[in-house]
């Protein structure tokens, strides 16, 4: 049985997977994912969303759960540093226009934010403006949207000081 809790799908997955070479490689992307990030989201088209994450981040599908009656499909995609759970639930209503309460975006850390930004732009990924610095959090970051309009933020920890605090 599938349960929803606080607007998020209650499927908890923890993966540590040694992956074979995949496209794109970290060398091709020019940056590494730092630490371990996990994000789960409801999507309208799980096949298209999975293809997007495979081509942009080189994720590999490692698990798929599907209801026999077609009510839902859950795909788990991963690579070292990032796991994504994509859930399609039949009868889900589309995301309303405008700001909504609840989860707004998720974030991932990288070791080279300029290369991450350039990589996503080369893949024609929709990004907000450019890279900005937050001295209070000691990070540099930018925001992008995936193929379904979900917003994710890419962070790089500042080496040393990010400069004076900006208000």
């Amino acid at each position: 049985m599938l349960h929803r809790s606080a607007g998020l799908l209650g499927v908890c997955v923890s993966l540590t997977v040694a992956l074979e070479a995949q496209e794109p490689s970290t060398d091709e992307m020019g940056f590494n994912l730092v630490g371990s990030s996990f994000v789960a989201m409801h999507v309208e088209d799980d096949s298209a969303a999975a293809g997007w994450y495979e081509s942009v981040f080189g994720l590999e599908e490692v698990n798929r759960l599907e209801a026999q009656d077609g009510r839902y499909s859950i795909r788990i995609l991963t690579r070292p540093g990032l796991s994504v759970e994509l859930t399609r639930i039949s009868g889900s209503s589309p995301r309303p226009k405008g700001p909504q309460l609840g989860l707004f975006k998720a974030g991932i850390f990288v070791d080279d934010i300029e290369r991450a930004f350039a990589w996503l732009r080369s893949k024609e990924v929709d990004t907000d403006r450019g890279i900005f610095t937050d001295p209070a959090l000691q990070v540099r970051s930018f925001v992008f949207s995936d193929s379904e309009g979900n917003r994710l933020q890419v962070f790089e920890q500042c080496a040393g000081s990010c400069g004076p605090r900006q208000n």
Side-chain angles (χ1 to χ4, degrees), residues 93-107:
S93 58
R95 179 180 305 134
K97 300 275 186 210
Q100 302 297 309
L101 297 175
L103 185 63
F104 173 62
K105 62 185 169 188

Side-chain angles (χ1 to χ4, degrees), residues 5 8 11-12 43 45 60-61 67 78 82 85-86 93 106-107 109 115 124 138-139 157 163 167:
S5 174
L8 296 176
V11 175
C12 297
V43 295
D45 184 338
E60 178 180 297
E61 186 173 302
T78 193
L82 179 61
E85 177 182 312
L86 303 170
S93 58
F109 278 83
R115 288 186 181 192
E124 299 181 1
Q138 293 293 295
V139 296
Q157 201 70 47
N167 291 327

Side-chain angles (χ1 to χ4, degrees), residues 71-129:
R71 289 181 304 129
Y72 68 85
S73 173
I74 301 169
R75 293 174 185 243
I76 308 295
L77 297 98
T78 193
R79 72 171 294 149
L82 179 61
S83 294
V84 174
E85 177 182 312
L86 303 170
T87 302
R88 177 196 45 78
I89 299 176
S90 295
S92 293
S93 58
R95 179 180 305 134
K97 300 275 186 210
Q100 302 297 309
L101 297 175
L103 185 63
F104 173 62
K105 62 185 169 188
I108 58 175
F109 278 83
V110 299
D111 66 347
D112 190 327
I113 199 153
E114 284 89 4
R115 288 186 181 192
F117 187 78
W119 173 258
L120 291 172
R121 295 300 295 258
S122 77
K123 293 291 203 173
E124 299 181 1
V125 172
D126 181 30
T127 61
D128 288 354
R129 292 183 252 155

Side-chain angles (χ1 to χ4, degrees), residues 22 24-32 79 115 119:
Q22 55 198 352
S25 69
T26 298
D27 290 340
E28 182 185 354
M29 291 190 314
F31 64 94
N32 295 301
R79 72 171 294 149
R115 288 186 181 192
W119 173 258

Side-chain angles (χ1 to χ4, degrees), residues 4-48:
R4 276 183 70 179
S5 174
L8 296 176
L9 184 64
V11 175
C12 297
V13 178
S14 178
L15 297 170
T16 304
V17 180
L19 297 175
E20 300 289 322
Q22 55 198 352
E23 292 296 326
S25 69
T26 298
D27 290 340
E28 182 185 354
M29 291 190 314
F31 64 94
N32 295 301
L33 300 166
V34 176
S36 185
S37 298
F38 172 83
V39 62
M41 59 196 85
H42 288 139
V43 295
E44 185 175 346
D45 184 338
D46 57 315
S47 293

